[in-house]
Amino acid sequence: MPSSSPGNNASNTVVPETCIVVTGASSGIGRELALQLAAPGVELWLIGRDQERLEEVAALTALKGAKPQVGVLDLANVELTEEFLQRSFPSGKQVDEVYLAAAVTLFGEVKDTFVSDWQLTYQTNLLSPVQW
């Protein structure tokens, strides 16, 4: 007959923590990804520009058993993103999965867009994923 001591109880088994990063987690696809990935044993980094909405997503993921971490960050700012990555994910910290859902979209006619609009799109959609 198996022992009922704490060392042999399956409910006391320590599950290794998985570290997952989701960019664009404050809305849209990123938010839904975060909610779907939330589970016990998951350290879930929620990255986005809107702290209030990120905090809402964090609360929902915590209800599902995840350990949310909120990172308020505009990925279009390459220098701040690099600093954030170095500070939050030192070289010894393992990240198991990264979901790059942050993006900006231009609407309207090309003739009505400004160079700054294109720069923001390029920085967010093309350059920021390179850093991860």
Side-chain angles (χ1 to χ4, degrees):
M1 182 172 191
S3 169
S4 62
S5 67
N8 293 335
N9 187 344
S11 65
N12 287 340
T13 303
V14 176
V15 177
E17 197 163 272
T18 300
C19 181
I20 299 174
V21 176
V22 180
T23 68
S26 59
S27 65
I29 293 170
R31 180 183 190 277
E32 187 59 31
L33 270 170
L35 295 175
Q36 294 296 319
L37 293 166
V42 174
E43 177 185 5
L44 190 57
W45 281 81
L46 308 170
I47 312 299
R49 294 177 292 178
D50 188 319
Q51 182 163 359
E52 185 176 327
R53 291 193 302 183
L54 287 171
E55 295 292 346
E56 290 171 6
V57 175
L60 292 171
T61 62
L63 288 174
K64 295 177 112 182
K67 295 178 184 174
Q69 304 289 333
V70 171
V72 180
L73 181 64
D74 184 351
L75 296 177
N77 187 322
V78 176
E79 292 80 22
L80 287 179
T81 301
E82 184 176 335
E83 290 172 15
F84 171 81
L85 289 171
Q86 289 175 358
R87 183 177 64 252
S88 302
F89 303 100
S91 61
K93 181 168 180 63
Q94 177 176 324
V95 175
D96 300 293
E97 300 172 29
V98 178
Y99 295 87
L100 303 170
V104 294
T105 304
L106 298 176
F107 295 98
E109 296 186 35
V110 173
K111 68 178 181 66
D112 295 329
T113 59
F114 298 99
V115 170
S116 59
D117 297 326
W118 291 107
Q119 288 172 328
L120 175 64
T121 302
Y122 183 75
Q123 290 289 109
T124 304
N125 299 356
L126 298 174
L127 289 184
S128 67
V130 171
Q131 297 185 66
W132 294 91

